[in-house]
Amino acid sequence: MRILGIDPGVATVGFGVIDADRKANRPIRYGVISTPPGLPLSRRLMQIYADLEELIHTFQPDEMAVEELFFNTNLTTGISVAHGRGVILLAAEQLGVPIFEYTPMQVKQAVAGYGKADKRQVMLMIQRLLGLKALPRPDDAADALAIAICHARSATSLLNQERVFDPERYDTR
């Protein structure tokens, strides 16, 4: 299964593409979509949409995992990120990519085994789990890889086999 992980934002959107199965996760590509700070919000959102559309067409993900919003102390930043997140969800929906959402605590739990792990712990685990030679950078791309790994662990779980349609299982004759 190919998964596109997204760490939403407006100035910077992290993305991470992995191939996942029950045995391993393999990194395909990771990076960021950046928008220039001087552009009006509407143009930045349009650029995010276009770049995400290109990512989806290029990598053909089976599913997309997106981090849910976490409002810390800066409500203004949270609202801005919410705009970007909305465009990201719209692009995936319009292109037919199933969307799954995870909280930051769920991502940390899935990747590092502890829901309150710090950023360095999570990055070290991403490096180890994906067999990377160095810590993934920038931070937004690392976060997107963590989100993709979180979804991979959920989607390929033995407990989650109902996601695979088995016609014999639903035979009503």
Side-chain angles (χ1 to χ4, degrees):
M1 170 188 328
R2 180 155 288 178
I3 301 167
L4 171 58
I6 297 289
D7 180 35
V10 170
T12 306
V13 175
F15 72 87
V17 181
I18 65 171
D19 281 343
D21 59 37
R22 291 176 200 237
K23 296 176 187 166
N25 298 317
R26 289 169 301 287
I28 303 301
R29 174 76 58 82
Y30 59 92
V32 295
I33 296 169
S34 298
T35 63
L39 288 180
L41 177 62
S42 59
R43 299 234 346 250
R44 294 174 97 177
L45 295 174
M46 190 168 69
Q47 181 181 335
I48 291 167
Y49 182 91
D51 289 352
L52 187 61
E53 187 177 42
E54 184 177 334
L55 280 172
I56 290 171
H57 285 304
T58 300
F59 294 104
Q60 298 291 305
D62 298 301
E63 296 176 349
M64 187 169 89
V66 181
E67 188 171 71
E68 288 185 0
L69 285 183
F70 173 72
F71 285 95
N72 202 355
T73 55
N74 191 340
L75 187 59
T76 304
T77 301
I79 290 170
S80 178
V81 172
H83 289 309
R85 190 171 181 281
V87 167
I88 290 161
L89 296 176
L90 175 65
E93 188 67 32
Q94 285 187 331
L95 294 171
V97 180
I99 303 161
F100 297 84
E101 301 174 54
Y102 299 94
T103 66
M105 188 173 275
Q106 287 173 310
V107 173
K108 291 175 183 181
Q109 178 70 39
V111 174
Y114 177 56
K116 294 184 180 180
D118 65 34
K119 187 167 281 294
R120 180 141 177 90
Q121 289 171 311
V122 173
M123 289 176 80
L124 286 167
M125 284 304 297
I126 294 166
Q127 181 183 8
R128 177 179 288 160
L129 292 169
L130 295 178
L132 301 173
K133 293 180 181 183
L135 291 178
R137 297 278 184 207
D139 289 354
D140 298 295
D143 291 346
L145 286 171
I147 295 159
I149 292 168
C150 174
H151 181 62
R153 291 189 159 192
S154 172
T156 61
S157 167
L158 291 173
L159 300 174
N160 206 3
Q161 289 184 351
E162 70 273 4
R163 292 167 49 88
V164 179
F165 179 73
D166 179 3
E168 291 179 15
R169 185 173 173 200
Y170 298 100
D171 191 358
T172 57
R173 286 185 265 166

